[in-house]
Amino acid sequence: MTGNLANINSHDLGNLDARETKTLCILALMLAGWFAGSWISWCNTAAVALIGTALFMMPGIEVFSWKEFNDTIGWDCVLMCGAILGIVSFVQSTGASDWLVGLMLDSVGGFSPIVAIIFMSIIAAVLHALIPNGLPVLTLVIIPFTSLCVSLDINPAIGLMIGTFWCDWAPILPIDALPAMGHSYGHFEAQDYVKQGLIVSAASVIILTILIPLLCNLFMASAAVV
């Protein structure tokens, strides 16, 4: 039944038309550009994305027009994320971010390891709620988190895993790229995202507090055996 349905759908779709072929070619070029970014400095994520977007609208290619692009893009989210990234860059360049993270971690230095793990998760979650890009979050917290773990005589990998997890996970505010896109299309309101995000964040903190120490001990034990 499934095979017949797949054959029917494939037959109904027909061959690739010119527009679809152009799209695949441009996407392949963009993918190659992102891979090349490991060796060519100007082939960063943003530059390749902008060049690819421009190619889609080039005369003779015209996968979509500027008007179609302009009507569907959420410029409010683009401007908001750009403004926040600019502020974050300024805060980092002045050293205020390092001071803020250090201040928060100093307050938990005398607590038990479990409490410290909880506070590390909360700090990283709050930072990513304010910073739409995960990499600056990881840059800010990775050294303080591992240093705190060393001072508390616990596995530094715990701090590394907590920072890595929260740099990819921003459930409190819709300012990360994918939630911002959903919000720009009106799929949800910001207050709805916050309400559900706080619940998910609290559950994530609890799960991380239990799971990460167990995983670290398991992997370290396995490495010792090997």
Side-chain angles (χ1 to χ4, degrees):
M1 181 67 180
T2 305
N4 293 335
L5 182 60
N7 290 332
I8 292 172
N9 289 339
S10 177
H11 181 268
D12 292 341
L13 290 173
N15 296 324
L16 292 175
D17 59 24
R19 186 176 182 179
E20 291 168 336
T21 303
K22 294 173 185 177
T23 300
L24 288 175
C25 291
I26 294 173
L27 289 176
L29 289 173
M30 292 174 68
L31 186 60
W34 284 321
F35 275 115
S38 301
W39 302 277
I40 305 174
S41 59
W42 64 267
C43 282
N44 54 66
T45 305
V48 173
L50 288 173
I51 293 171
T53 304
L55 285 175
F56 280 121
M57 296 181 284
M58 287 287 289
I61 300 178
E62 293 178 347
V63 174
F64 51 80
S65 66
W66 166 256
K67 185 178 186 306
E68 292 172 325
F69 177 76
N70 189 47
D71 290 342
T72 55
I73 195 71
W75 289 110
D76 52 343
C77 292
V78 173
L79 295 174
M80 179 185 69
C81 290
I84 293 174
L85 286 172
I87 295 171
V88 169
S89 178
F90 172 76
V91 171
Q92 285 183 302
S93 65
T94 59
S97 56
D98 296 329
W99 171 81
L100 181 61
V101 172
L103 182 66
M104 290 187 289
L105 289 176
D106 287 341
S107 63
V108 301
F111 293 147
S112 67
I114 294 298
V115 175
I117 291 172
I118 293 173
F119 269 90
M120 282 191 288
S121 287
I122 293 174
I123 290 169
V126 171
L127 284 175
H128 203 175
L130 303 174
I131 302 173
N133 193 328
L135 185 58
V137 176
L138 186 61
T139 304
L140 285 175
V141 303
I142 197 65
I143 294 178
F145 280 8
T146 52
S147 299
L148 178 63
C149 290
V150 170
S151 68
L152 294 174
D153 197 25
I154 60 178
N155 193 337
I158 293 175
L160 177 64
M161 292 179 70
I162 290 174
T164 304
F165 175 86
W166 286 107
C167 83
D168 281 329
W169 182 235
I172 298 178
L173 290 176
I175 59 173
D176 208 25
L178 293 178
M181 288 176 62
H183 178 260
S184 67
Y185 284 106
H187 295 309
F188 57 84
E189 297 295 331
Q191 58 268 27
D192 299 327
Y193 193 88
V194 172
K195 291 176 184 177
Q196 303 302 320
L198 289 173
I199 297 172
V200 173
S201 296
S204 299
V205 170
I206 295 172
I207 294 171
L208 286 177
T209 304
I210 298 171
L211 191 60
I212 284 184
L214 293 175
L215 290 175
C216 285
N217 291 332
L218 177 64
F219 292 146
M220 292 298 289
S222 299
V225 171
V226 173

